[in-house]
Amino acid sequence: MFVALSALIVACLDQIVCYSVDPVTSPATFRIGSNDSSILLQGYINITLAYTKVQKAPVIVSIDSATQGKFQVSGVLGNEIEGLNLSWKPDQSNSTWNLTFRFAKSENSYNLSGISFVYELLDLPGSRYASNNHSLFSAAIGSYYSCQAEQNLVLNHFAPNPVTVNLTFSQLKVQAFRHGLEPEFNGIMVQCSLDYHLDRVVPIVIGISLAVMIIVALIAFIITSRRNRNISGNGVSGGYQQI
C-alpha cells in the first residue's frame, strides 16, 4: 500500500514539474553582443506549422542543446531596442527561416516586445511572415526573466494563411540589455506567474499525499487492533468454557 502511494506521489510530481522534454538534452543557449551590451536566451523552443486546409502532417522545428548548432545567431544592439535573430535552412524549404526576438527598453526596465517568424514551405512558395507583438514579460534592467513552465504562443499572419504557427517555450530564461558576455544569468530573477502556480501546487500535492498516507495508516492500525482484540477475546472465552 505504501509503495503504491509513494509511486503515486512521484507520478503526480512528475506531472507537475516535468515539461515533456527529452531528458538526454538540455535547453539551447544563445548569446549575442559585446561587453557593453548583450542578450542571453536559454530554453526549449518548439515551432509547429500546422496545415489548416489540407490533411498533412505538421512541420515541427525543435530547438534544444542537441540541435542548436544548426542555427546561426545574429542580433541588433542599441540603447532602446535590441533583437536576437535565429536563422537556419530547414529540409522543408529552399530558403532561410528566421525567428526574431525583439526587446524594448523603457526607463529602468525592458520587455520582450515581440516575436516574428519568416518562413517558406516547398508546397507553399513565397515568403510568409507571422508575428506576435504582445509583451511576454517585463523585467528591470540588470535582472532576468525565468519561466520553467510550458508556454504556448500563437504567431499571427497579416493575411489569411493555410498554415498556423505556434511557439512553445519551456525552461525559458531571457536577459537583454545586459553588460558583459558571461554565460550565466545575473541579477534578480523575475519569475512567471505559471511558476508561482506550480510552487503552490507542489506543496499541496505533497500535503494531500501525506494526509492520505496517514489516514490509511490509521485505518490499518485500527483494523489490526480490533482484529487482535477479537482474537484475544476469543481465546479468553474459550478458557472459561473449559473450566
Side-chain angles (χ1 to χ4, degrees):
M1 177 68 72
F2 292 109
V3 174
L5 286 172
S6 300
L8 177 62
I9 294 173
V10 173
C12 290
L13 292 178
D14 284 345
Q15 289 294 322
I16 293 172
V17 300
C18 295
Y19 306 104
S20 302
V21 295
D22 188 345
V24 177
T25 66
S26 57
T29 301
F30 299 103
R31 185 170 65 251
I32 188 71
S34 63
N35 288 327
D36 295 328
S37 184
S38 64
I39 303 171
L40 179 60
L41 185 148
Q42 184 181 87
Y44 292 96
I45 306 172
N46 279 344
I47 308 171
T48 303
L49 289 80
Y51 291 86
T52 58
K53 296 184 178 181
V54 294
Q55 294 291 332
K56 293 190 66 173
V59 177
I60 300 176
V61 179
S62 297
I63 305 176
D64 53 37
S65 62
T67 62
Q68 72 176 52
K70 302 177 182 179
F71 300 86
Q72 299 295 322
V73 187
S74 59
V76 175
L77 302 173
N79 293 328
E80 304 295 333
I81 300 293
E82 291 191 344
L84 185 146
N85 181 73
L86 303 178
S87 60
W88 70 100
K89 192 171 183 179
D91 297 333
Q92 299 85 356
S93 176
N94 292 322
S95 63
T96 300
W97 292 9
N98 290 275
L99 178 65
T100 304
F101 300 85
R102 298 189 305 276
F103 303 92
K105 182 179 179 182
S106 176
E107 296 183 354
N108 296 322
S109 65
Y110 69 96
N111 65 83
L112 178 56
S113 58
I115 301 175
S116 61
F117 180 50
V118 179
Y119 67 99
E120 180 180 357
L121 295 169
L122 291 175
D123 54 350
L124 294 173
S127 180
R128 298 173 186 271
Y129 178 86
S131 65
N132 189 312
N133 296 320
H134 295 289
S135 177
L136 186 63
F137 69 86
S138 179
I141 298 294
S143 62
Y144 67 95
Y145 170 80
S146 175
C147 194
Q148 296 295 304
E150 185 176 282
Q151 301 178 86
N152 295 297
L153 191 67
V154 177
L155 301 187
N156 301 307
H157 297 83
F158 289 105
N161 198 75
V163 173
T164 60
V165 180
N166 294 277
L167 286 183
T168 302
F169 303 103
S170 62
Q171 299 187 32
L172 180 66
K173 293 182 180 180
V174 185
Q175 187 171 15
F177 299 98
R178 65 197 301 265
H179 294 287
L181 287 171
E182 295 82 4
E184 298 84 15
F185 293 89
N186 50 56
I188 299 173
M189 179 183 70
V190 177
Q191 193 175 28
C192 67
S193 59
L194 292 173
D195 283 355
Y196 279 119
H197 173 69
L198 292 177
D199 289 343
R200 293 180 180 180
V201 170
V202 171
I204 291 173
V205 171
I206 294 176
I208 292 175
S209 302
L210 291 176
V212 170
M213 292 178 66
I214 292 172
I215 292 172
V216 171
L218 287 174
I219 293 174
F221 174 76
I222 293 172
I223 293 174
T224 303
S225 297
R226 288 184 176 179
R227 184 178 300 169
N228 292 337
R229 189 180 303 170
N230 291 336
I231 294 174
S232 177
N234 291 335
V236 172
S237 175
Y240 281 113
Q241 288 178 359
Q242 290 177 1
I243 292 174

